[in-house]
Amino acid sequence: MNRQTEKLELILGIETSCDETSAAIIQGDRVLSSVISSQMVHLQFGGVVPELASRAHLRKIVPIVNQALQDAGLELNDIQAIAVTNGPGLVGALLVGVNYAKGLAMALDIPFVGVNHIEGHIFGNFLDGAEIPYPFLCLVVSGGHTQIVLVNEPLNYRIVGKTRDDAVGEAFDKVAKLLKLPYPGGPEIDRRAADGDPDYVKFPRAMMKNGNFDFSYSGLKTAVLNFLQERSEQQVQAHLNDICASFQQAAVEVLVKKTVEAARTFQIRHLALAGGVAANSLLRRWMQEEAARFHLQVHFPPLKYCTDNAAMIARAGREHLLRGVRSTLELNAYPALKLGDPPQDSREV
Ligand code: KG4
Ligand code: ZN
C-alpha cells in the first residue's frame, strides 16, 4: 500500500499514558465513539500507582477497544489506521497501548502512528466540527504540564511559558490530599469552591510581576500547608469550601492573567485551553471574561475532551498520518517526550 491508495478516514485512537484506558474511533474530525475507563484501583492510595496502572491497562485494553467498535457500529476490519499515545506519561502504562497498537496494526496490515499526549490535548479543540484559526495561543494545563504554547500553524509549537516546578493539576491534587479530599482533587476542589468564599484566605500569586510567562505552583501548595498547620482540624472542616475557593482563585488567577498577557504581547487574537484543568469552571469563566476585555476570543474543548481521552489522540494522529508520517514497529514509549519533538521511530511515505 502507498499513501495514494491508503484510506485514512476511520481512525482508532488509543490512550494509556496514565490512569485512563481509552479507545475512540473518529471519522474525519467526527467522533463515532469514545470509551474511557478510569482506574479505580488508585483511589485507596490517593494517587496513581504506576505498576497497578500498567496491569489495569493490560486487563482493560481489549474490552475497551471492542466497546469502542461496538458503539461505532464497526468491526476491526473497518479500521483504516491507528493512533496511539507514545509519550509523555508512565512508561509501563504507555507500553501497553504502544504494543497493542503495533500488534493490531500488523494483524490488520494498516498504518499506525505514535502521538504526543500534549499535542493530543491541543487537538481536543478540533473535534466534532470545532476549529481554531491559526495562529493561536494554547494554555495546556494538566496533571503533569502547565505551558503556554504558541501554535503558529498546524503542528508547529513554540513554548513561551511553563511551570518551573509543579504543574497546576498536581497542585490541585496535592492540596486536595492535604484537605483529605478524594483523588483526583481537581474536580472535587472545583465543586466545593462553588460554595466557598474565594477571599477567605489571600494565598500567594506566584511570579505575577516577573514579566515572563513562566509559572510556579510549589509555593502555593506550601502556603496552603502552612495555613492548615496553623489551624485546628475543626476550623479547617468548618471552612473547607472557603479554603478550596481561595486556593482555586489563586491558582487560576495566574493562569488567566499570564495567558492573556502573552496573547497581547505576541498579538494573538485566539486563545485555547487544553488538558484536564481546562475542565475547571472558574478557569473557563474567568479566561472568557478577561479575554473579552481585550477583544480576544477563547476556545475550549467540551468537558469530555478536556481530561484524558483517545478521541483527541486519534484526531492529532490523523494530522500526522495525512502528512505521510508512519510509525515503524520500532516505536517505543518515551516518558519525557516534549511537545514539538520530531515524530519518533517513524518514516515518511
Ligand atoms: O489531562 P489530564 O486528564 O491528565 C494528565 O495528562 O495529567 O489531567 C488530569 C488533571 C488532574 O490533576 C485533575 O485533578 C485535573 O486535571 N482536573 C481538574 C478538573 N478536572 C480535572 N482540575 C481543576 N478543576 C477541574 N474541574
Ligand atoms: Zn492528559
Side-chain angles (χ1 to χ4, degrees):
M1 254 192 305
N2 63 33
R3 192 174 168 183
Q4 278 70 42
T5 56
E6 273 174 1
K7 292 204 195 75
L8 300 167
E9 257 309 274
L10 288 167
I11 299 175
L12 169 68
I14 294 172
E15 157 63 38
T16 64
S17 68
C18 192
D19 59 341
E20 256 89 33
T21 313
S22 178
I25 297 164
I26 62 167
Q27 179 166 33
D29 73 356
R30 207 158 60 87
V31 181
L32 301 185
S33 64
S34 171
V35 183
I36 303 169
S37 166
S38 298
Q39 303 175 354
M40 295 306 165
V41 61
H42 309 289
L43 282 178
Q44 57 190 304
F45 303 102
V48 179
V49 182
E51 181 172 340
L52 296 180
S54 310
R55 289 177 186 277
H57 286 308
L58 213 46
R59 262 196 311 275
K60 282 289 176 66
I61 187 87
V62 172
I64 293 294
V65 169
N66 286 342
Q67 186 68 52
L69 286 165
Q70 194 183 326
D71 290 357
L74 296 171
E75 293 181 1
L76 263 184
N77 278 326
D78 297 320
I79 298 301
Q80 294 164 338
I82 302 172
V84 60
T85 307
N86 76 315
L90 301 170
V91 69
L94 289 164
L95 282 170
V96 175
V98 166
N99 281 311
Y100 176 83
K102 279 187 200 179
L104 189 57
M106 201 157 65
L108 297 175
D109 192 21
I110 57 174
F112 77 108
V113 70
V115 172
N116 181 308
H117 180 80
I118 300 302
E119 185 169 48
H121 273 304
I122 296 174
F123 274 97
N125 283 288
F126 289 81
L127 287 166
D128 289 335
E131 279 196 74
I132 310 173
Y134 293 91
F136 65 89
L137 206 61
C138 189
L139 175 68
V140 179
V141 273
S142 69
H145 290 79
T146 304
Q147 303 179 331
I148 300 177
V149 184
L150 177 54
V151 191
N152 267 315
E153 54 188 61
L155 311 185
N156 178 314
Y157 308 104
R158 180 177 153 207
I159 295 166
V160 300
K162 60 180 188 317
T163 182
R164 298 198 177 170
D165 39 57
D166 293 353
V168 63
E170 195 180 347
F172 268 93
D173 295 338
K174 284 180 175 169
V175 166
K177 202 168 180 176
L178 293 175
L179 295 171
K180 303 189 179 72
L181 298 174
Y183 181 87
E188 187 70 21
I189 289 183
D190 193 353
R191 256 192 308 278
R192 288 183 169 273
D195 295 322
D197 172 10
D199 298 320
Y200 176 65
V201 201
K202 182 83 181 164
F203 287 123
R205 275 72 169 154
M207 304 185 66
M208 279 297 257
K209 295 193 182 72
N210 274 13
N212 64 41
F213 306 117
D214 282 349
F215 302 93
S216 167
Y217 277 101
S218 66
L220 175 57
K221 176 196 63 195
T222 308
V224 176
L225 177 63
N226 291 340
F227 176 87
L228 296 177
Q229 281 174 342
E230 288 158 11
R231 294 195 168 55
S232 69
E233 182 65 25
Q234 208 179 8
Q235 283 170 314
V236 170
Q237 288 308 320
H239 288 282
L240 207 46
N241 294 353
D242 299 328
I243 299 167
C244 286
S246 301
F247 159 76
Q248 180 175 266
Q249 188 83 358
V252 169
E253 180 170 358
V254 188
L255 295 175
V256 170
K257 297 276 169 69
K258 288 215 173 204
T259 307
V260 170
E261 181 66 27
R264 296 179 68 211
T265 302
F266 294 100
Q267 301 190 320
I268 304 291
R269 301 202 19 76
H270 291 272
L271 290 179
L273 301 180
V277 184
N280 184 265
S281 56
L282 179 67
L283 176 61
R284 291 163 89 97
R285 196 167 63 236
W286 200 345
M287 190 68 87
Q288 244 170 347
E289 284 168 15
E290 184 73 4
R293 289 179 52 210
F294 301 101
H295 309 290
L296 308 173
Q297 218 177 320
V298 183
H299 308 257
F300 34 68
L303 291 178
K304 61 184 172 186
Y305 302 141
C306 285
T307 42
D308 289 350
N309 67 90
M312 67 185 196
I313 301 301
R315 180 66 187 81
R318 179 171 182 263
E319 292 293 314
H320 293 284
L321 289 162
L322 290 177
R323 285 169 178 76
V325 178
R326 305 284 181 269
S327 290
T328 65
L329 288 174
E330 311 283 296
L331 183 69
N332 212 334
Y334 295 90
L337 193 63
K338 300 260 181 305
L339 188 63
D341 281 352
Q344 314 289 316
D345 312 319
S346 67
R347 62 190 167 86
E348 296 220 356
V349 295

